[in-house]
Amino acid sequence: MRYISTRGGMAPAPFSDILLGGLAPDGGLTIPDAYPTLAPGELSGWRGLSYPELAFAILRKFADDLPADDLRALMDKTYTAAIFRSEAITPLTPLADGVWLLGLSNGPTLAFKDIAMQLLGNLFEYTLLKTGGHLNIFGATSGDTGSSAEYAMRGKRNIRVFMLSPHRKMSRFQTAQMFSLQDPNIFNLAVRGVFDDCQDLVKAVSQDADFKARYAIGTVNSINWARVAAQIVYYFKGWLAVTARDDQEVSFAVPSGNFGNICAGYIAKRMGLPIRRLILATNENNVLDEFFRTGVYRVRPTDQVAQTSSPSMDISKASNFERFIFDAAGRDPAVVRELWRQVDARGFFDLSGSAAFHAVRASGFVSGASTHQNRMDTIRRIHQDSGIVIDTHTADGVKVGLEHREDGVPLLCLETALPAKFEESIVEALGRPPERPTGYENIEALPQRFEVMDADVAAMKNYIARHAG
Ligand SMILES: *Cc1c(COP(=O)(O)O)cnc(C)c1O
């Protein structure tokens, strides 16, 4: 398999070459030159596999330049009951007749991002040990991603993480989760300012190409291809868990922000997994719901992004969306370049009435959005009916999923975080805090390790220069 860019300006490259990268050199996103498809009988042959075995069977199709034994060892090391708190890795819980919760949030930071990020940590370390290189990961976080990256990279050889967060602006739980890490390769930098100040600092440092090259600065944001690939696995796992026949269709409801999670579901479908509907759910920040209803993709200025009670879905644009549009546009990079030129010039493109939007409609996507009130109502209703407490992001997915449910088609709602991460919202919905998983009871009392800094580019570069690997 070779990887190409959605903008057409990159020489085809194997998996190992694109693994550590963010954007392709031409500003596009990397994508396989053709999706692998399932051989006859292959799916039924996967019915008895454990999670790491299934992950190996799927990922070897995408990472076909890594030695099979090495890849298998990486899967065995990543997907363990010690890290994900059950052999199932992604356990299934019934919510109602024909409706299930697919638990993706049992990794170290209690959100689905751990499933891909934990693998990324091991893949990065493996690759760097082979090439003799090293990497300084530099990023900004308002909570979920940075924490997941730190837990994936802690203690990894040849990798250091410099993570900026807005000083005193994260929840106590999130702050404790990140700052309690004592690993010497993790640097928590609390910036006096807001999240946008942190992001501006990352941008400013990344635009200095010399500095970036000299200190081997990299990122782990959601456009990383390996993260998307790792997420394909649990669509198969969920499908295998609720079906007995190989042609049985299942629908998935996915709480969405940057389109990384549901992009993986779309690729699973393209590979031949019998997925009927991909039900995309947004919160009040409905960039993607608007597109799937109307064909208009309109990014929002950052000051128009609402701060909601499902904060990990508060996005102004969907960074993985270009991969999907590349396919809808018949894989013509000239069309993709033109569409994103329009986004840059006037903030939107409009595919309504086009052949591309016809392809979008045919691809199985439906969508919907929810409000704070919808989330509160959904959390209450699910708790009343099943005794299960879901978090606010998962509630967005369940709400929209149930609206698009069809008789006789199993519906799998992806659980993207545990309620313990969003205690205040659960108290608001249910009048009491959610249970915390074992080991997290007193996380706020642990000693914290972080450095407070000004939002100053020169000071930031100086800090990295002194602490880089
Ligand atoms: C990141 C995140 C999402 C959104 O996922 P995308 O891949 O960006 O669409 C949803 N829920 C939670 C809890 C998240 O952390």
Side-chain angles (χ1 to χ4, degrees):
M1 173 173 292
R2 287 287 178 277
Y3 289 83
I4 54 175
S5 164
T6 51
R7 307 251 175 129
M10 184 182 100
F15 178 83
S16 329
D17 283 9
I18 59 137
L19 171 63
L20 298 175
L23 283 179
D26 62 354
L29 304 189
T30 51
I31 194 160
D33 57 358
Y35 297 120
T37 49
L38 300 172
E42 197 170 13
L43 198 49
S44 42
W46 288 351
R47 286 201 178 273
L49 298 188
S50 67
Y51 196 98
E53 287 167 345
L54 182 64
F56 171 69
I58 292 168
L59 287 166
R60 67 182 304 189
K61 295 177 186 286
F62 292 96
D64 59 354
D65 61 326
L66 299 188
D69 288 345
D70 292 2
L71 191 63
R72 195 190 292 276
L74 287 165
M75 299 306 152
D76 289 345
K77 183 177 172 187
T78 304
Y79 297 112
T80 68
I83 298 172
F84 290 96
R85 293 190 291 128
S86 77
E87 291 292 345
I89 308 296
T90 58
L92 206 60
T93 312
L95 277 186
D97 203 21
V99 184
W100 283 269
L101 199 62
L102 183 61
L104 306 179
S105 316
N106 300 306
T109 73
L110 313 183
F112 89 98
K113 292 192 172 67
D114 289 336
I115 294 187
M117 206 73 91
Q118 286 288 320
L119 178 63
L120 209 62
N122 287 326
L123 272 171
F124 276 20
E125 182 179 57
Y126 165 82
T127 304
L128 291 168
L129 285 174
K130 261 192 150 173
T131 58
H134 62 109
L135 183 67
N136 293 296
I137 293 169
F138 184 45
T141 189
S142 53
D144 274 357
T145 309
S147 173
S148 184
E150 290 189 354
Y151 278 79
M153 305 296 167
R154 62 187 294 199
K156 295 280 185 284
R157 284 162 291 177
N158 300 352
I159 301 177
R160 292 183 189 198
V161 179
F162 298 85
M163 193 57 68
L164 311 187
S165 58
H167 187 37
R168 299 210 170 107
K169 303 269 185 335
M170 293 190 295
S171 75
R172 284 187 70 217
F173 184 89
Q174 282 176 323
T175 307
Q177 210 173 37
M178 286 179 60
F179 292 6
S180 63
L181 286 177
Q182 302 296 329
D183 306 74
N185 72 324
I186 303 294
F187 300 88
N188 281 306
L189 306 175
V191 175
R192 291 190 189 91
V194 294
F195 175 61
D196 280 339
D197 297 315
C198 300
Q199 246 180 347
D200 289 347
L201 282 168
V202 172
K203 248 186 231 158
V205 171
S206 303
Q207 273 161 8
D208 182 341
D210 288 342
F211 185 86
K212 220 179 139 185
R214 171 136 45 105
Y215 294 104
I217 305 284
T219 55
V220 286
N221 47 27
S222 78
I223 58 169
N224 180 285
W225 166 257
R227 282 180 65 183
V228 176
Q231 290 166 359
I232 294 171
V233 177
Y234 52 70
Y235 285 88
F236 278 86
K237 184 76 179 160
W239 183 92
L240 288 164
V242 297
T243 59
R245 287 195 339 263
D246 287 348
D247 58 351
Q248 188 174 358
E249 290 189 320
V250 168
S251 292
F252 288 90
V254 189
S256 294
N258 275 317
F259 203 76
N261 195 349
I262 203 163
C263 185
Y266 159 75
I267 293 169
K269 184 168 158 70
R270 290 292 305 261
M271 289 171 71
L273 187 67
I275 294 177
R276 181 165 168 80
R277 285 184 169 173
L278 287 160
I279 304 168
L280 181 145
T282 70
N283 61 22
E284 290 88 338
N285 297 295
N286 63 347
V287 182
L288 288 168
D289 176 40
E290 180 179 8
F291 172 77
F292 283 101
R293 281 186 294 102
T294 67
V296 176
Y297 178 64
R298 185 169 56 87
V299 305
R300 315 288 198 253
T302 38
D303 61 2
Q304 279 178 29
V305 177
Q307 291 201 5
T308 75
S309 50
S310 45
S312 300
M313 293 158 61
D314 293 346
I315 51 117
S316 60
K317 58 180 174 22
S319 36
N320 273 292
F321 193 51
E322 189 170 327
R323 290 197 166 103
F324 173 68
I325 292 298
F326 179 65
D327 283 351
R331 299 205 138 209
D332 182 347
V335 174
V336 173
R337 286 197 301 271
E338 168 56 21
L339 291 175
W340 262 268
R341 191 195 61 72
Q342 292 177 17
V343 169
D344 291 341
R346 55 175 199 192
F348 73 97
F349 61 71
D350 181 357
L351 294 185
S352 59
S354 70
F357 197 53
H358 192 76
V360 168
R361 281 272 151 88
S363 63
F365 277 88
V366 292
S367 72
S370 75
T371 63
H372 178 72
Q373 193 56 49
N374 293 145
R375 289 190 275 286
M376 293 298 120
D377 292 345
T378 305
I379 291 169
R380 257 179 238 125
R381 180 170 148 209
I382 293 294
H383 182 247
Q384 265 163 16
D385 294 352
S386 67
I388 294 165
V389 182
I390 56 173
D391 99 292
T392 45
H393 305 75
T394 306
D396 286 323
V398 170
K399 184 256 180 191
V400 176
L402 292 175
E403 286 169 357
H404 288 283
R405 183 183 173 191
E406 296 163 287
D407 278 347
V409 182
L411 173 65
L412 268 61
C413 299
L414 304 197
E415 176 212 53
T416 56
L418 287 195
K421 278 198 103 160
F422 301 95
E423 229 166 66
E424 284 147 44
S425 298
I426 302 303
V427 170
E428 182 182 339
L430 301 178
R432 58 169 179 77
E435 268 177 45
R436 283 194 179 182
T438 316
Y440 294 80
E441 297 87 349
N442 278 317
I443 188 171
E444 289 94 338
L446 297 173
Q448 299 193 351
R449 181 169 163 270
F450 63 101
E451 199 123 358
V452 181
M453 295 185 67
D454 287 324
D456 177 302
V457 178
M460 195 56 68
K461 284 184 176 171
N462 192 311
Y463 186 92
I464 294 173
R466 280 186 291 121
H467 297 92

